[in-house]
Structure formats: structure tokens, C-alpha cells
Amino acid sequence: MLSHDENALITRVMPGTPMGNAMRRYWIPALLAREIAEPDGPPVRVRLLGEDLLAFRDSAGDIGLVDEYCPHRRASLFFGRNEECGLRCVYHGWKFDISGACTDMMNEPE
């Protein structure tokens, strides 16, 4: 029988935990490609290893899996616009590509 601490060690999968770090080294099926809408369609919510994520197709038809929350003010990108190869946050206009990189900050100086 495992102790409480041993059980926590092997069952907690949040970011930064030992098992979470181990599990993030492997492919984890999240959903089928056909479950994601057509290019520039609405995103799909996915929860993996305690993280809230969004899957979406960009304008080119490529699939991305990104953090659901915008890093600026933590607004949900689920309500954002999927446009021109990225998800645009409706709160302040930042746009993120399929890798999660911010490609446009329309309200920030160059």
C-alpha cells in the first residue's frame, strides 16, 4: 500500500509535478482531427493533465493546441476570433498562432 505522499507523487499531473513532467514527454491523444472545425472555425476546449487548452484550425488548415487563457489578462481565447492564421483575444486584440506564439499586439507600440 502506498503512503499518502507516494500516492500524491504518482497521481498529481499538474505542471511542475514529477508525474506531470514525466507525462508531458509523451504524446497524449486529446481528440480526433475531425472534431476540430473547418479552417477559421470555432475552437474546441480540451483539458489535459490539469491544463485548460484550446484546439483550433488556422486559415491554412493546420491544427494548433494552445493555452485557453491569454497571458496578458487571462481572458479566455475560447471567445476569441479565429482569423488569418491565429486566434485573436477579444479582450485586448492580441493574436496567437498554432504554436501559441503571439503574432500581433495591435494595441502595443512597435
Side-chain angles (χ1 to χ4, degrees), residues 17-44:
T17 62
M19 187 56 72
N21 292 340
M23 294 296 293
R24 282 169 175 76
R25 295 180 183 162
Y26 302 96
W27 285 97
I28 300 172
L31 47 94
L32 299 172
R34 69 174 177 249
E35 295 177 78
I36 304 170
E38 68 283 347
D40 290 336
V44 177

Side-chain angles (χ1 to χ4, degrees), residues 23-70:
M23 294 296 293
R24 282 169 175 76
R25 295 180 183 162
Y26 302 96
W27 285 97
I28 300 172
L31 47 94
L32 299 172
R34 69 174 177 249
E35 295 177 78
I36 304 170
E38 68 283 347
D40 290 336
V44 177
R45 282 185 165 135
V46 177
R47 187 162 173 87
L48 286 175
L49 302 176
E51 291 187 72
D52 295 323
L53 307 168
L54 290 178
F56 69 99
R57 281 188 198 273
D58 69 5
S59 303
D62 296 324
I63 296 173
L65 186 67
V66 299
D67 188 353
E68 178 178 352
Y69 302 103
C70 179

Side-chain angles (χ1 to χ4, degrees), residues 1-12 19:
M1 171 145 307
L2 296 175
S3 70
H4 176 73
D5 292 337
E6 292 169 331
N7 185 54
L9 181 70
I10 65 170
T11 59
R12 303 247 165 98
M19 187 56 72

